């Protein structure tokens, strides 16, 4: 009897450890670019595909990638420049799927009189922190195309929420924003859009990243998470109203948003409109892969990406497209 008495808690403990090992930790940032991770969780799609997922929020892609590198996180949706930067230093990282193609707009306050990107010279612009994918594109593509040096614009690296607040208060003249903060800013502040990078230079802003070790050990779980997120993208594209109901509270705390011209809007309406402006894709196309290499080259030109041998960083080293190949996407 004594042996059986001790056997019960031992079995319970073993079951608990097995359960802990099965849980998959998925990192995300509270932006529309990561909507697939949120929708997959809120719609029960991870569970549908046999996963016990813990959704973990991060305030920046840098913090998220550190958690993947450190083994505290299994996978995450974030800007691929983070993976490139860490991989160039020796980190074993893999880009395993797509998420969202970059749609980032420049909004300017009405009273500034700014009509194009060149008009930002000498002005203050709120953007993401230096080193982020958005920052790399702003400096290496947007400003460069307008004939501006980054030093000619007072770039303030802040969170999207602070960028919107800064526009509303007049602390900045303009902001480089993504959804839904772009949509929110246009609804609550006297601003107008003068530029949208997704229309002139589309690129895979957000991708799904994991470590090589995690992919080797938990390939099936990673693939199941990609299946769930692919289904979430289908919901975002085909049932935006339903998707908006699931994730609206992630972005707008109150049930309604007070706007300048449209009165009180239900937060679901705001988020549905934001979803409609996006281009989500679970698959990385050949054009996406070319853009990934192009941006890596831009990072090297800027000096924020350095390889040990001084040669160009080959982004194929961090790509593992076996999931989309297996699904014949």
């Amino acid at each position: 009897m004594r042996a059986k008495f001790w056997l019960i808690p031992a079995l319970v403990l073993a079951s608990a450890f097995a359960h802990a090992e099965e849980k998959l930790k998925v990192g995300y940032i509270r932006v529309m670019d990561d909507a697939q991770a949120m929708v997959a969780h809120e719609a029960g799609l991870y569970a549908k595909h046999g996963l016990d997922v813990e959704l973990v929020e991060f305030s920046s892609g840098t913090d998220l990638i550190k958690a993947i590198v450190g083994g505290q996180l299994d996978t995450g949706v974030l800007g691929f420049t983070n993976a490139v930067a860490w991989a160039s230093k020796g980190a074993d990282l893999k880009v395993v799927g797509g998420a969202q193609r970059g749609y980032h707009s420049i909004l300017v306050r009405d009273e500034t009189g700014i009509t194009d990107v060149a008009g930002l010279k000498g002005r203050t612009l709120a953007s993401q922190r230096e080193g982020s994918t958005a920052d790399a594109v702003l400096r290496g593509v947007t400003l460069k195309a307008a004939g501006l040096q980054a030093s000619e614009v007072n770039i303030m690296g802040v969170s999207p929420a602070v960028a919107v607040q800064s526009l509303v208060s007049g602390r900045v003249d303009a902001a480089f924003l993504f959804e839904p903060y772009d949509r929110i800013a246009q609804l609550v502040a006297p601003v107008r859009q003068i530029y949208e990078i997704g229309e002139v230079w589309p690129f895979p802003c957000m991708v799904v990243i994991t470590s090589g070790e995690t992919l080797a050990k938990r390939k099936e779980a990673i693939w199941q998470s990609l299946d769930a997120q692919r289904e979430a993208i289908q919901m975002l594209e085909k049932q935006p109203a339903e998707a908006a109901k699931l994730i609206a509270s992630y972005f707008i705390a109150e049930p309604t948003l007070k706007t300048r011209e449209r009165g009180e809007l239900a937060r679901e309406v705001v988020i549905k409109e934001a979803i409609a402006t996006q281009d989500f894709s679970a698959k990385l196309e050949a054009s996406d892969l070319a853009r990934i290499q192009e941006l890596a080259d831009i990072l090297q030109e800027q000096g924020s990406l350095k390889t040990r041998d001084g040669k160009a960083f080959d982004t194929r080293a961090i790509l593992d497209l076996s999931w989309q190949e297996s699904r014949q996407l």
Side-chain angles (χ1 to χ4, degrees), residues 188-202:
V188 303
V191 300
R192 65 183 184 282
Q193 184 184 108
I194 63 166
Y195 175 87
E196 171 55 73
I197 194 167
E199 297 175 356
V200 298
W201 203 82

Side-chain angles (χ1 to χ4, degrees), residues 272-328:
K272 178 185 175 183
E273 292 178 0
I275 290 172
T277 68
Q278 301 299 282
D279 181 10
F280 298 99
S281 176
K283 180 183 179 181
L284 288 170
E285 305 281 359
S287 57
D288 296 324
L289 303 181
R291 279 286 197 240
I292 285 177
Q293 184 61 59
E294 191 173 352
L295 258 178
D297 295 340
I298 288 173
L299 289 172
Q300 282 194 274
E301 290 176 10
Q302 294 175 345
S304 55
L305 173 63
K306 297 179 181 179
T307 58
R308 294 175 179 176
D309 57 10
K311 296 180 180 179
F313 182 84
D314 187 350
T315 55
R316 289 176 297 181
I318 63 171
L319 295 174
D320 186 312
L321 304 182
S322 56
W323 168 77
Q324 69 179 48
E325 291 167 357
S326 73
R327 301 305 191 256
Q328 298 181 337

Side-chain angles (χ1 to χ4, degrees), residues 196-238:
E196 171 55 73
I197 194 167
E199 297 175 356
V200 298
W201 203 82
F203 69 102
C205 178
M206 294 292 192
V207 294
V208 183
I209 299 173
T210 187
S211 70
E213 181 180 0
T214 298
L215 185 60
K217 291 181 177 180
R218 308 195 65 187
K219 182 178 180 179
E220 183 179 354
I222 296 298
W223 281 19
Q224 287 172 319
S225 71
L226 290 170
D227 289 335
Q229 290 178 14
R230 179 190 179 195
E231 195 168 334
I233 286 176
Q234 292 172 344
M235 178 179 286
L236 285 160
E237 293 176 334
K238 299 177 181 180

Side-chain angles (χ1 to χ4, degrees), residues 12 21 23 48 66 87 91 160 163 171 181 222 227 229 246:
V12 172
E21 289 176 355
K23 186 179 287 291
K48 174 183 175 181
K66 285 180 180 178
R171 183 184 176 193
Y181 303 99
I222 296 298
D227 289 335
Q229 290 178 14
L246 294 173

Side-chain angles (χ1 to χ4, degrees), residues 47-161:
K48 174 183 175 181
H49 288 274
L51 295 174
D52 179 11
V53 164
E54 178 183 349
L55 203 60
V56 185
E57 182 182 354
F58 289 83
S59 60
S60 71
T62 300
D63 291 337
L64 199 161
I65 201 73
K66 285 180 180 178
I68 292 177
V69 172
Q72 294 88 36
L73 197 66
D74 295 304
T75 182
V77 179
L78 69 160
F80 75 88
T81 55
N82 291 281
V84 170
W86 280 82
S88 69
K89 299 174 185 176
D92 181 19
L93 294 168
K94 297 297 179 184
V95 173
V96 293
Q100 183 259 7
R101 295 193 177 95
Y103 272 74
H104 293 59
S105 69
I106 292 181
L107 303 181
V108 300
R109 287 184 61 83
D110 290 339
E111 72 267 20
T112 63
I114 300 171
T115 58
D116 55 22
V117 179
L120 293 172
K121 185 175 182 179
R123 302 292 190 133
T124 300
L125 171 75
S127 182
Q128 289 188 68
R129 295 179 179 87
E130 188 171 356
S132 65
T133 300
D135 182 73
V137 170
L138 173 65
R139 295 169 186 265
V141 178
T142 303
L143 297 182
K144 186 176 182 180
L148 290 176
Q149 298 290 328
S151 59
E152 295 180 294
V153 181
N154 180 20
I155 301 174
M156 188 173 72
V158 296
S159 69

